[in-house]
Amino acid sequence: MRLPEELQFIQNSWLPQKSTNARMDGKVCVLTGATSGIGYEAAKRLAEAGAALVLVCRNPEKAERVRQELIDAFEVDVSVVIADFQSLSEVREAALAIQQAFPAIHVLINNAGVFNKRRRMTPDGNEMIFGVIHLASFLLTQLLKGNLIQGAPARVLYISSEGHRFGGFSLKDPDWHKRPYIGLLAYGAAKIAQIHTALVLAEELQETGVGVNLMHPGAVRTNIGMNNNFLYRFYSRYILGLFLKDPAISADAIYYLVADPSLEGVTGQYFNLTIEEQPARYAVRADQRDAAWELSMNLIRPYLEGEL
């Protein structure tokens, strides 16, 4: 029995997933949030297939350990660029360094994320979930757009979430100044903004050979939210964690979406792991999409143009 479209995401998670044996030798792949969880497993899968990795990470010590591990295990080129995604200035500096070092980029995976139970702000004055998940990846992608076009056929993949179905996005109050803060809604809001702008970017790059897609990585174990209080960390690790899957499942799906030849030219799509599906209707409204793009561009413009 097929569920209604609004509930199809439940069924999609249990469908047989696709995989690929395609190689990525020499392909330059930029990956954020690569020191743990989904990002770490994705980095291993890409390195195993011969990709040259550029890891954008917050913690230099963890990043260096991962870099050395990948080099030792797979004998591939691995570079590290340090940036805290709470700071758009650091994201800008990281992007400029990547621009210069890697004129052609073949894959960009926007994976960095955060979850807070209580409202926290970035140094730039944005609500942190919105700033890290949406604005930072939006800025990074905009600054690397030329390199992706140079590397075409190229692919941009946003690690989204079925959490976008929580709702919460407000064009008038993206930083939760006026509304009571609820962490799950803030998380949903950032993912909705990400979907809106990714779909606009897909249209913009339609004729360049750069595909832009989003994916839900499945219900897997990660370290997201471990910056919260002890009770939340205990619940997440020892109770919720019992029902979550190995993040290697996500890595296999990510690899399929960025490597399989059958997806060359596919753009503007949302996947549940490797199964194409429709996001929530309010996440794909054309009027909201354009307004979210304009809002996001206004918020990153000083960093995009180097006015700071």
Side-chain angles (χ1 to χ4, degrees), residues 36-39 111 187 217-226 236-237 241 244-247 250:
S36 66
I38 293 168
N111 170 67
Y187 187 78
V220 298
R221 291 184 296 275
T222 73
N223 286 334
I224 194 168
M226 290 302 171
S236 181
R237 180 163 293 170
L244 299 178
K245 300 176 182 178
D246 190 321
S250 305

Side-chain angles (χ1 to χ4, degrees), residues 32-240:
T32 68
T35 57
S36 66
I38 293 168
Y40 171 68
E41 295 296 335
K44 290 197 295 183
R45 183 68 184 86
L46 289 162
E48 181 184 15
L53 297 181
V54 183
L55 309 180
V56 186
C57 306
R58 179 175 60 88
N59 185 302
E61 292 76 22
K62 290 182 179 179
E64 179 56 29
R65 285 199 297 271
V66 172
R67 187 187 78 87
Q68 197 58 55
E69 177 186 340
L70 296 174
I71 291 173
D72 292 344
F74 304 109
E75 298 181 346
V76 293
D77 293 331
V78 183
S79 301
V80 168
V81 179
I82 300 301
D84 186 338
F85 270 39
Q86 294 182 47
S87 168
L88 294 179
S89 295
E90 290 193 26
V91 174
R92 171 182 164 78
E93 291 305 311
L96 294 180
I98 296 169
Q99 274 183 2
Q100 295 178 1
F102 303 94
I105 296 172
H106 305 98
V107 172
L108 169 61
I109 302 171
N110 286 306
N111 170 67
V114 68
F115 174 74
N116 297 319
K117 288 185 64 181
R118 297 182 180 179
R119 181 172 176 263
R120 300 181 186 179
M121 306 299 287
T122 69
D124 303 308
N126 302 116
E127 188 274 321
M128 190 178 291
I129 299 177
F130 184 75
V132 170
I133 288 178
H134 174 54
L135 291 180
S137 64
F138 186 69
L139 175 60
L140 181 69
T141 306
Q142 288 296 310
L143 289 170
L144 296 182
K145 196 162 54 177
N147 302 66
L148 287 157
I149 293 171
Q150 189 66 31
R155 303 183 195 184
V156 178
L157 182 64
Y158 288 89
I159 308 306
S160 184
S161 171
E162 296 295 356
H164 80 273
R165 299 181 191 276
F166 297 144
F169 180 61
S170 169
L171 289 164
K172 296 181 179 179
D173 188 26
D175 296 314
W176 298 82
H177 290 295
K178 302 173 183 176
R179 298 173 291 163
Y181 184 82
I182 301 172
L184 289 177
L185 294 184
Y187 187 78
K191 293 299 184 180
I192 291 170
Q194 197 176 62
I195 294 171
H196 281 322
T197 53
L199 295 179
V200 175
L201 183 64
E203 291 178 358
E204 178 188 323
L205 298 179
Q206 182 79 50
E207 304 303 323
T208 67
V210 180
V212 181
N213 295 300
L214 306 107
M215 67 95 77
H216 168 61
V220 298
R221 291 184 296 275
T222 73
N223 286 334
I224 194 168
M226 290 302 171
N227 54 305
N228 290 287
N229 60 32
F230 170 79
L231 186 60
Y232 179 88
R233 296 197 305 271
F234 182 88
Y235 168 77
S236 181
R237 180 163 293 170
Y238 298 109
I239 300 176
L240 182 61

Side-chain angles (χ1 to χ4, degrees), residues 3 5-18 157-165 195 213-220 245 249-250 252-254 256-257 269-279:
L3 295 174
E5 181 180 297
E6 293 81 2
L7 299 177
Q8 189 60 41
F9 71 95
I10 299 172
Q11 196 171 52
N12 287 343
S13 298
W14 298 100
L15 292 177
Q17 298 299 321
K18 302 170 187 175
L157 182 64
Y158 288 89
I159 308 306
S160 184
S161 171
E162 296 295 356
H164 80 273
R165 299 181 191 276
I195 294 171
N213 295 300
L214 306 107
M215 67 95 77
H216 168 61
V220 298
K245 300 176 182 178
I249 294 170
S250 305
D252 288 339
I254 290 169
Y256 171 80
L257 294 175
Q269 300 302 316
Y270 187 96
F271 295 87
N272 187 334
L273 292 171
T274 62
I275 307 300
E276 190 174 327
E277 75 176 25
Q278 287 297 313

